[in-house]
Amino acid sequence: MAAVDVDMLIKRIKCDLNKIVLEKAYQAFPQEVRPERRQPFLFLRSWAAKVRLTVAVDDTFAVSPGASYTQPLHTVNNVAQTFTLGAGGALTTQAVRQEDVEFLLSFKDLDAENDSGRMNTELYDYCQQPPGLLLESDLGLDRLIDAALKPVETGVLKPGNNFGPGVGPPPAIPKVDLPTVTLETRKVEPRPSLELTISQLREGPEKIRQFSTKLIQKFNIPDDLTKQTTEQLNKGQTQADQNAARIKQILGNATEATSIETKTQAIINNVIKPRYGIAQGTLDSSCIKPVTEAQFEAIAQSSNVSAFVINIDKAAESVADRSSTAPPSPADDDALKAAADKSSDDFNKLIAARDKVIDASNTMTGAMRTCLKKTKEIQDAKKKEGPPVFDPVSTITETINFYVTVTGNVTPTWKLVRVTAPTAGTFLSGIRKDTNTLILSMGRPTPGQNGGPPNTSAMDSQILYSILGQAIPASRP
């Protein structure tokens, strides 16, 4: 009988909040009663309720068997004598369990469910209150709301500059001169690696040294050709001249691609990400979307740069790992030409991706400047509006403790000639204690930043206060 139907209880809470709280929110007073504000409870529509349900069950079982043995003795002076020996024992067991359920209900969502007619369906049992005295029947929410909002109804409490728990003024914009901070604007940088000879390129990174050594050996490139420039190699007529020019092209692309990748990642890590952090902390959320989109584009294009670097390295590996047991064949020469073409094609795509990173960086700068201007306008408008207006009541909290105690005992008695049992007052007993606690806290949730979860710290504090109040009994000196 003491088991709580959580599903029925949540239906009860939602129905009561819809019927009692939201009806209160839309309550209108005659003009002569409230001339300054005919609907003083409209602020409730954007509140929410934080609900915590604690169900505690305490089962106790006890058995106390016992008996006494009586031995009649001989009579002395007409007085009967007996010897009695008693024996007994006791066994007690206790089991305590507790269940906690916590959830948040938005009054805006409840209002929408009511308008759609969903509250008046079989899902909510047509919001008919179940009869009885158990926890899921009458929660007494109507009396709580009426009592808590009476000062608002009479005009003692009014909306204004009322700082509630955990509520503060909007954050001020730090004094950062964002428009003077510019991003990288260079579109194309010199490409010195492509002007170096094969011998000079071999002095670069380890992977370039490995590629160059394998390619020179596999294609039998003479030492004098490794010291010629691109212009000199292009004037040559032999196959060795053409292969040397293609090897130089592959090595130059790989060297320059690695350098561009490093610089692109530096733009992302040293420019884009720090600037976006500044934008998040200083600019108004209503205009930060273009800044976010520019950051995403820059990061996406930087990933493309890294992907093209991998392709350029694979083009070099594809010919560097070919067998060199015999002089290079026409097929080997064709493979080298295909690898050089593929390397140059991916290098051009890498340059285009790098340029898009710079374009996105410059777009981000313009978006930040535009958003900064709009943020200043918003802040100036807020200053003209005066201090922020807060609800007349910060939170409303109700704590319901519902106790059900069931006890029972069995005490059979035997009185025989020599034995009497049991000796204890109670032979077998059992106790079940069910303690159900419902904490309902209502207040206005603070919207989360950039669409994040709302902040319910005020309601959380009230729930914690109620929990501590029950855990720590009040004592007086």
Side-chain angles (χ1 to χ4, degrees), residues 216 219-227 240:
I216 290 173
F219 289 91
N220 298 325
I221 303 300
D223 186 63
D224 61 317
L225 293 183
T226 63
K227 300 177 182 179

Side-chain angles (χ1 to χ4, degrees), residues 339-399:
D341 293 341
K342 181 68 168 59
S343 175
S344 296
D345 182 60
D346 286 329
F347 184 82
N348 292 332
K349 293 178 181 179
L350 178 145
I351 293 297
R354 188 278 310 271
D355 291 345
K356 290 180 180 179
V357 172
I358 298 176
D359 289 340
S361 300
N362 295 330
T363 301
M364 188 178 185
T365 300
M368 290 175 67
R369 289 173 177 168
T370 302
C371 191
L372 176 62
K373 182 179 179 181
K374 185 175 181 180
T375 299
K376 290 181 177 179
E377 293 174 353
I378 293 174
Q379 293 298 323
D380 292 340
K382 288 182 178 180
K383 292 179 180 179
K384 294 179 181 178
E385 293 174 358
V389 177
F390 299 98
D391 298 320
V393 179
S394 298
T395 56
I396 300 175
T397 303
E398 179 183 37
T399 301

Side-chain angles (χ1 to χ4, degrees), residues 292-313:
T292 304
E293 292 175 347
Q295 185 211 34
F296 177 80
E297 174 67 13
I299 294 176
Q301 292 299 334
S302 71
S303 300
N304 291 338
V305 169
S306 298
F308 290 129
V309 170
I310 294 174
N311 291 341
I312 292 171
D313 289 344

